[in-house]
Structure formats: structure tokens, C-alpha cells
Amino acid sequence: MNISYKWLKTLIDFDLSPQELAARLTMLGHAVDELLYLGKDIEGVVVGRATALRPHPDADKLRLVTVDYGAGSTLEVVCGAPNVRQGGLYPLALVGTVLPGGFELKKAKIRGVESQGMLCSEKELGLSEESSGLLELDESARPGMSLPEALGLDDWRLVLDVTANRGDMWSQIGAARELQPVAGKKLTRPQGSPDDSGPAIESLTSVEITDSQGCPRYMARVIENVKIGPSPRWLVERLNAVGQRSINNVVDITNFILFELGQPLHSFDLDRLEGKRIVVRKAAEGEQILTLDGAPRKLDAAITVIADAVNPVAVAGVMGGKESEVDESTRRVLLECAWFDPATTRRTSRALGLSSEASRRFERGVDYSGMNLALDRAARLIAEVSGGSVARGAIDVYPRKLTPPTVELRACRAESLLGLEFPASEVRRCLEGIDFEVESLGAGKYKVTVPACRHDVSREVDLIEELARVRGYEHIPSPARMCVTPAVSGRREWYDLAKLKECLAGLGLREVMTSSFTGAAEVEAICGAGVYAPPQLSFPLSSEEGLLRPELIVSLLGCVKRNLNQRNQDVRIFEIGRVFPRRVGSSDSPEERRLGLAALGSRQSVHWSGKGRAWDFFDLKGVLESLAARLKLPVLSFVQGSHPALHPGKCAEVRLGGHGIGLLGAINPSLAAGLELPDTVLLAELDLDRLLASRQAPRHSERSPYPGSRRDLAVLVDDAVPCAELAAEIQRGSRLVAEVAVFDLYQGQHVPAGKKSLAFSMLFQSVERTLRDEEVDQAFEKILRGLIKKFDVKQR
């Protein structure tokens, strides 16, 4: 939501600078993502009046213009614009001014005559892409005035990141309401009450509601004898300040009220409505409407529409229809002001894949108590800017009354949660300051009536959050020391997850959180065709987000691609999230929690000594082994595995206690090509609940005080035999084996085809005594015989 600093000042008087205002709104819970001075690119440009013109002595198409720029003197400018005239007011860039694009104006001679500045066009000022001459200013400007002030651009735009529950903050008046406790003053509501001296509205139109669930209240006014045309300057400036372009005077007023009061309005050409009437109803199945964006929309019986006597003329709460829009031929306007059910509007917007400024507000809930003011103010302003007359009275059909909730608040509960004292005066200051009504019930209890604009407040804890916001989060005390004992607090799982995240972060990975929504094409490409039938969303945000992901790697690959697109070539990420791996032909809809990892790029930062080694399969395998050791898990084992997204020769099944818990591998080259990713991406995905469930209590093992004896063994074995199985057999071959490590793998000259040479280093050691050579030899021979018998190895 864009907030105009100057506009806000007309609604409430406050002494905060734009920067202080941004900081205060952020502390109130409304993060300001951007603070922009609208006249930033033209700050050095002033208004100049052309007092005299004469021909250039050496150029037919150039003229020498004497310019008064309010400094008590004049200067001469060479100008070739065809529309420059004596007495005209134009933007003047003085020597030293930096224009948009970084162009700095310097003294220059043009065909032998020095120009002491430049008269500017809209294109040169960055105000439009094309222009045919100088920007002509109206007589309200004066020489020497800064151009931002002359154009109404001496304003600041605050871009608010409005949370989904705060529909009231999608308006200037919503921001003003939040500032009331800060300013210590009440906001000034804008003027309504039009001069409705025309014919009675009942003689011109009527309204009927048959869908009171979708539309509990519908109001209308009629303005006759309107003349559609450009909007006045003040209106254009207000809309420009919040990033809205001007369309025409009638439509601009409805947009003005939308941004000022947060109430969406819609204007119909009354003479284009069949029967000159409005019917609010459910759409017929298969009924169609051509919306204002020029697209035909097929409707269903769950959608609320605004119709005339025959056809739909608007999708309720979302967008109007093309057939009844206001244009240059319009002479009578029917102005709609309604309250549409948030849930119904949200479903409609999702079903049609259509979002608008109106739907964003209706989905979050608008202020039904402010509808009269919004309608009256809009009718008055439309009459003023279009020369029309307002019909007498307003239609107000209100079949389902909306009432604000009341919530009981206990001061002691607020004090126990926030650690702050809340006497009666402070409770009233905080809540009445933002338009809540507070009634004392005695003994520190209060009955609080929630304003109609605050659809997010329904419980005592919501009121306590309001107390914290208005009092200031910075005033909430921090305990000197806090200790959480997982076994006592019952938060063992939280402790385990924190330990896991700490370990992965220590290994150089960063946690990410991605959306659970994905598309059918991504699932089929990554997980294989005909494998999964994940749950579908009834009202997806988009066609690419219609399913719930069956595997984490679907989301992780998207995250990797976004990082690469932003030129982050070294990606090391992990995610803990839920997946929904319902398989084709199954009616079950399981929900599992998994741990996903992805890695790509160099293992270390750029260094003068040379390029770092890139991540490979064994690096990610080492991360999993380190994680298992840190979490006190049984030793992980790895056997050959397969997955459509992973390289056939570089994919391993991760096993724990003899059971598979996930997969590890490099991306399949064909998938990498299809997704436009490098084939060096490494992926892993594990069943997190089974992983954590296998945690063991720490066990002490005695270290031997006696020296050990090392022996090496090199064998030839079939290439298909996993190295891990040979190492496990060596470990089982004798109780004297303390350690086994592979230190060599060789295939090539002098090794037969289909074979590989593996070399193991073995440490023989006892915790009771020093071993004799004869004992070590016997153990070594026993191990070798076991390997020959089980794997048909040959000693090298």
C-alpha cells in the first residue's frame, strides 16, 4: 500500500518528518519497505518565465530566450522547442543541475552563443517517454519555485508492507487512525454531504439483493448531467502520489475514495443498465461477462454478481463489466458502494484468476460503518469535477445487519503477558486512541467494542497485541536470563530441530523456507510421470501453484534456480518442510515432514591462492554423516538408489538401522538441461521424523591406553560390490579391529575389466593389553578368509 505524506497530513496533524513517520509506522507493525521522494530526479529544476524571445544569429530553428527564474535577474537560454512563447512558464535546469539519467548540465556554446541553462520537456525530465515540446506550466506556478512543488511532486511516498489481517491499512485514513495516539489528536474525517437537489433517486433506479450472504449491504446514488473529461490538477496529483494513473474525472474520484477511505466504489453508466435497476444475485451456471480488462469471464453459481434486469454488469467485489463502463458518452452515473463478504470475494478472485485494488480490500474486510461517508463524499466530488447534479437521497439495502464484536479484556492478563503495568488511563489511551470503545467493568476488567474497520480483532489476546503495539514493543522488558529445559518444558522436538539447524548452519548451509504449492508440470518433470497424484487446491493462487508438493526437491530446485538467476553461484541450502506424497492409484493423503538439502558451486570463498574445489557427491554425503554424528544417530549407510531427478550412477539410498530414510545424489543431466540448471547440483531428501526418532542416548566407550598395530590390505573385487559391505565385513571379522578406513581405489591398467582394486587400512587394538604380532596376524588372516569366502576377493 502506498501512503502519501502530504495527503496524510490533511487527515491528521502530526510533527513527524517522513523518515520519523516511516520509523514509527514500522514500530506499530506496518513495515515501510520504501521511502521515496517523488521529486527526487528533478530537485534542482526551477520554474522560469520566458520574458523575451529573439532569433539565434546563426541558426534558423533556434531562438534566444530571456528567462526570469526568481533570482532578481535574468539569464539567456538557447532553445529550439517549437512551443516556447513569451510569458510562458517552463521548467528551467540551471548549470550544475543533474537531470534524470545522470546528465549534468554544463555551460555550453550552441552555434556560437552561450546557453546559461536549459528549458526542459517532459521527456528530458523523465516524466514521460515522449514529448513534442517544452513542458508548459500553469499560472499557479511562479518564477523561482522548485519544479517538484509546481507539479505537486514535493511529496513523499511510503510503501507499506501491509499484513494480510489488516485490511484497514489499505487506505490513507487507516494510516491516520494508527497515528492518533502518536499525535495525541483525533483524525479529521473528510467532508461528505452532497447538495442532492435533483429528482428523487427512487424515480431513477432501484436495488434488489437476493444474495445477502455474498452482499449484506448495497448503497447507491445517482449523479445526472455529468460531463466526462480530464480530472483537475489536485485530483491527478493525489493519485500520482500513490502511484495511480489518471483515467477520467468520474473514475478518478472512485479511485480517490478507494485510497483515501479504503472503500471500493464502482460507477455504472445508468443508461446502459437494462431496466435502469441493480440486482445483486448469484450468477447462473455458465453465465458470462466481459470485464473491464477486456477478457470474457465464465461464471459459476458460487460467484456473486451485480446485474441489471437481464445480464451481469460486474463481478461483485472484483471488477466491473465492460458493457456498462463510464466513457465520454456517459451522462448519468449510478454510483455503487457495497460491502461484499470477504470469503466469497476471495473464492471468486481465485476462481477467475483475477485480482484488483477492490478485491484486495474486500478480501480483507472494509469498514461497513464508513459506507455512508464514502458514498456521499464521492457523489459530492463527482458533481464538482464533472458539473453534474446529485439525485435526492441514497438507496441503502441492508438485509443482513453487520455489528461490531465486543471483547472482554483483563488488565492483569495483559500485564502477565507483556510484563508492563496497564492502569485504566493507559488502557483507554491505547485503545481509544485507535477508535476502540472501552467500558470499565470494575476490578481491572473492560468491555471493548471493536471498530467496524478492524476485522482482525475478536479475542482478548488480539486486544493485548493492540496494547503492545500502541504502547511500543520497545518498552516490553527482556528477562535477564532465560533457560529452556526440553525435558521439563515438553519441547523435546523443538530442541532436536534447533540442534539439527545449528549443526547444518555450522557445516555452511543456510536455511530456506519455500512454498508448499507447485504445478503439475514441475511434479512430472522432477518426480517422474505417473508417480504422484498430489492433492489439488480448490482455489490456487495461480495455475503454476495448483498442487501440494510431493517432495522437497521440487521446491529446492526452484530456489536454486532463483539464486543462480540472481548471480549467486555458490548455493548451500537446507529446508525442513512438509510434503504430501500421495501416489497414483492411492486414496491415502499422507503428510510427511522431511529434511531437504541442495548444494552447488565452490566449497570455499574466492581466494587469491586459487579457485576453490567444487562441491561433489562425497561432500554432501559427509554433511549427512556429520549430522548423524552430531545428533547421536546410528551410523548411516549408503547403497545404490534410483530416482528420476537424480543421476543413475550418482544416486544413493540413505539407510538407518537397515531401513531406507531418503536419497542422496547429483541431479539427472536431462532434468538439469530441461530446467536450465548446471548438472553439478547435488540434492538430498530425508524422512525427518524417522531420523529424529532414532536418536540415541549418549554412550561412553573406553579408550584403549595400549598401542595399536596397523595393517593394510589390498584386494581385487567385482566392481558391483559396494565398498561399505567390504568394510563392514572387515569390522565383523575380528573383535580386535578398532578402525577401518579405505585409502585407495584403482581401476585401469593391470586391473581386469569389471574389477576394482580397494585398499583398506586396519587398526588392531585391545583395551586390556598390548597385542602380540601373532594375534594380529591370526586376526588379519581370518578377515582375509572371510572376504574371500563371501566376496571372492583376491589379495594384491
Side-chain angles (χ1 to χ4, degrees):
M1 173 62 193
N2 295 336
I3 296 294
S4 161
Y5 181 80
K6 284 176 62 176
W7 196 346
L8 197 60
K9 293 278 281 187
T10 66
L11 297 173
I12 184 169
D13 185 23
F14 57 88
D15 297 325
L16 302 174
S17 68
Q19 293 75 16
E20 291 169 336
L21 174 63
R24 190 60 197 154
L25 287 172
T26 298
M27 290 306 297
L28 284 167
H30 315 297
V32 177
D33 290 340
E34 184 180 5
L35 180 61
L36 174 67
Y37 180 61
L38 300 182
K40 179 182 177 181
D41 292 336
I42 55 173
E43 281 186 279
V45 183
V46 298
V47 175
R49 185 185 296 275
T51 58
L53 283 76
R54 59 191 179 91
H56 191 288
D58 196 28
D60 294 339
K61 294 184 178 181
L62 297 179
R63 281 179 282 182
L64 305 182
V65 184
T66 303
V67 182
D68 173 14
Y69 63 105
S73 60
T74 61
L75 51 76
E76 192 171 62
V77 173
V78 178
C79 180
N83 64 327
V84 64
R85 60 180 176 80
Q86 186 172 343
L89 291 162
Y90 309 101
L92 172 66
L94 300 172
V95 173
T97 301
V98 179
L99 294 175
F103 171 68
E104 182 179 355
L105 193 65
K106 299 179 180 179
K107 282 187 177 182
K109 284 189 176 182
I110 302 175
R111 303 293 291 267
V113 178
E114 185 178 274
S115 181
Q116 297 173 309
M118 183 173 78
L119 297 177
C120 303
S121 66
E122 289 183 86
K123 182 178 181 181
E124 290 162 338
L125 295 170
L127 300 177
S128 70
E129 294 184 1
E130 295 295 334
S131 55
S132 57
L134 300 180
L135 172 60
E136 297 193 56
L137 305 173
D138 59 43
E139 288 300 322
S140 62
R142 62 183 185 276
M145 176 188 287
S146 73
L147 185 62
E149 183 181 357
L151 295 177
L153 296 177
D154 55 333
D155 193 5
W156 291 81
R157 180 186 297 164
L158 294 88
V159 183
L160 268 60
D161 183 6
V162 181
T163 55
N165 64 324
R166 291 300 302 271
D168 61 301
M169 287 301 295
W170 285 81
S171 63
Q172 298 287 141
I173 202 167
R177 186 182 296 110
E178 290 286 283
L179 293 177
Q180 289 180 142
V182 178
K185 303 172 185 176
K186 285 292 184 179
L187 64 87
T188 302
R189 293 188 176 273
Q191 183 180 353
S193 303
D195 178 14
D196 51 354
S197 56
I201 190 172
E202 291 80 7
S203 66
L204 302 174
T205 187
S206 64
V207 174
E208 177 187 359
I209 296 178
T210 62
D211 178 19
S212 60
Q213 178 60 42
C215 178
R217 188 180 189 186
Y218 193 100
M219 300 182 69
R221 272 192 177 273
V222 171
I223 304 95
E224 296 187 296
N225 303 316
V226 300
K227 183 178 181 181
I228 307 300
S231 294
R233 176 182 166 184
W234 70 266
L235 181 54
V236 174
E237 289 179 359
R238 282 283 187 260
L239 295 178
N240 284 341
V242 292
Q244 179 72 28
R245 67 182 180 89
S246 175
I247 299 173
N248 62 51
N249 48 6
V250 171
V251 175
D252 285 355
I253 290 296
T254 62
N255 285 331
F256 174 81
I257 298 298
L258 174 86
F259 286 101
E260 182 181 56
L261 302 178
Q263 173 66 55
L265 305 173
H266 187 68
S267 54
F268 297 99
D269 187 325
L270 180 59
D271 295 315
R272 294 185 181 182
L273 298 178
E274 291 287 343
K276 307 295 186 290
R277 60 193 295 254
I278 289 291
V279 180
V280 185
R281 59 174 173 82
K282 290 292 187 185
E285 193 68 39
E287 202 168 19
Q288 289 195 349
I289 182 174
L290 184 67
T291 47
L292 285 172
D293 60 356
R297 309 282 178 181
K298 188 174 182 181
L299 309 175
D300 60 51
I303 294 175
T304 302
V305 296
I306 313 302
D308 56 20
V310 180
N311 300 310
V313 291
V315 180
V318 181
M319 187 173 287
K322 191 79 173 174
E323 300 299 328
S324 60
E325 74 171 323
V326 170
D327 60 19
E328 291 80 3
S329 65
T330 300
R331 293 296 174 263
R332 297 196 298 172
V333 170
L334 186 147
L335 187 61
E336 166 196 286
C337 180
W339 196 91
F340 297 112
D341 177 61
T344 303
T345 306
R346 190 177 301 114
R347 285 195 298 269
T348 299
S349 179
R350 300 296 183 270
L352 297 179
L354 183 62
S355 180
S356 65
E357 290 286 354
S359 68
R360 292 189 190 98
R361 288 162 175 80
F362 281 125
E363 286 176 17
R364 292 160 174 81
V366 299
D367 183 3
Y368 51 83
S369 70
M371 291 174 60
N372 297 79
L373 172 62
L375 183 63
D376 287 351
R377 180 163 169 75
R380 182 176 69 83
L381 292 175
I382 288 176
E384 288 179 5
V385 302
S386 68
S389 59
V390 182
R392 188 170 67 256
I395 294 175
D396 187 359
V397 183
Y398 203 172
R400 184 163 66 90
K401 298 296 181 182
L402 302 168
T403 56
T406 58
V407 182
E408 187 174 303
L409 172 67
R410 298 164 294 169
C412 61
R413 180 59 175 160
E415 291 168 356
S416 67
L417 286 177
L418 301 178
L420 295 169
E421 291 186 4
F422 282 97
S425 59
E426 185 65 8
V427 171
R428 289 188 178 277
R429 185 190 74 84
C430 291
L431 295 181
E432 291 180 348
I434 50 176
D435 292 354
F436 287 75
E437 295 179 12
V438 180
E439 177 186 346
S440 177
L441 301 177
K445 294 182 179 179
Y446 305 89
K447 179 183 176 182
V448 180
T449 302
V450 179
C453 62
R454 292 299 302 275
H455 301 272
D456 59 309
V457 177
S458 60
R459 304 169 299 165
E460 182 183 42
V461 70
D462 297 329
L463 292 176
I464 294 173
E465 182 182 3
E466 294 305 297
L467 292 174
R469 284 193 322 106
V470 178
R471 182 78 171 269
Y473 292 122
E474 66 273 20
H475 295 127
I476 298 175
S478 299
R481 185 175 180 182
M482 182 174 69
C483 178
V484 177
T485 305
V488 175
S489 66
R491 301 182 67 188
R492 183 81 223 178
E493 180 182 354
W494 174 89
Y495 180 79
D496 289 343
L497 286 176
K499 199 81 171 174
L500 182 146
K501 292 179 181 181
E502 178 186 2
C503 178
L504 290 173
L507 291 167
L509 282 80
R510 295 188 176 185
E511 184 178 10
V512 298
M513 288 183 285
T514 61
S515 172
S516 298
F517 305 149
T518 187
E522 287 80 2
V523 171
E524 185 171 319
I526 296 171
C527 304
V531 177
Y532 290 114
Q536 296 187 357
L537 303 181
S538 299
F539 301 100
L541 298 174
S542 68
S543 58
E544 291 78 24
E545 296 182 317
L547 306 177
L548 292 173
R549 63 187 176 193
E551 297 182 6
L552 277 183
I553 59 174
V554 176
S555 302
L556 288 176
L557 284 172
C559 186
V560 169
K561 187 168 184 177
R562 284 190 293 275
N563 273 269
L564 292 175
N565 289 342
Q566 296 298 321
R567 299 185 181 276
N568 179 18
Q569 304 298 318
D570 299 325
V571 181
R572 298 179 293 277
I573 57 176
F574 73 92
E575 179 176 14
I576 295 171
R578 296 193 177 275
V579 297
F580 308 84
R582 184 171 70 187
R583 293 186 173 270
V584 171
S586 173
S587 59
D588 294 335
S589 297
E591 181 178 330
E592 299 176 5
R593 194 170 52 160
R594 295 187 185 173
L595 167 65
L597 301 92
L600 170 71
S602 175
R603 294 185 70 250
Q604 64 186 41
S605 302
V606 176
H607 192 264
W608 62 266
S609 61
K611 187 176 180 181
R613 184 173 66 82
W615 275 75
D616 61 21
F617 176 91
F618 297 101
D619 291 319
L620 197 56
K621 175 174 176 284
V623 167
L624 297 183
E625 290 171 330
S626 298
L627 180 64
R630 180 68 182 274
L631 295 179
K632 304 297 188 293
L633 303 177
V635 176
L636 297 178
S637 60
F638 302 85
V639 299
Q640 188 170 356
S642 63
H643 188 280
L646 301 179
H647 192 295
K650 297 179 182 178
C651 176
E653 181 185 13
V654 184
R655 301 180 70 85
L656 185 65
H659 301 286
I661 63 165
L663 290 167
L664 159 71
I667 190 171
N668 192 310
S670 60
L671 174 62
L675 297 178
E676 298 180 348
L677 290 171
D679 58 7
T680 53
V681 178
L682 302 166
L683 300 164
E685 187 166 336
L686 307 178
D687 186 325
L688 183 62
D689 291 324
R690 292 175 65 181
L691 190 74
L692 295 179
S694 63
R695 286 197 65 183
Q696 301 172 337
R699 291 181 297 173
H700 171 73
S701 59
E702 185 180 357
R703 297 287 296 177
S704 174
Y706 303 102
S709 178
R710 285 200 174 273
R711 297 292 176 88
D712 294 341
L713 172 63
V715 296
L716 277 176
V717 66
D718 289 340
D719 191 30
V721 177
C723 174
E725 292 188 16
L726 291 171
E729 182 64 24
I730 292 173
Q731 192 76 59
R732 290 190 296 265
S734 173
R735 63 182 180 83
L736 300 179
V737 177
E739 294 178 7
V740 180
V742 182
F743 69 87
D744 187 51
L745 165 66
Y746 176 72
Q747 287 176 296
Q749 191 176 5
H750 305 306
V751 173
K755 299 285 185 179
K756 61 184 174 184
S757 172
L758 289 172
F760 298 88
S761 174
M762 298 172 284
L763 174 64
F764 295 88
Q765 194 172 31
S766 171
V767 296
E768 301 169 349
R769 55 188 171 78
T770 301
L771 297 176
R772 301 190 306 274
D773 287 344
E774 295 81 9
E775 292 176 288
V776 174
D777 291 341
Q778 290 174 3
F780 182 87
E781 291 298 328
K782 180 183 177 183
I783 290 170
L784 181 58
R785 288 195 300 272
L787 293 175
I788 293 172
K789 181 178 180 181
K790 187 169 185 178
F791 300 107
D792 192 26
V793 306
K794 292 183 179 179
Q795 185 177 9
R796 296 192 69 197

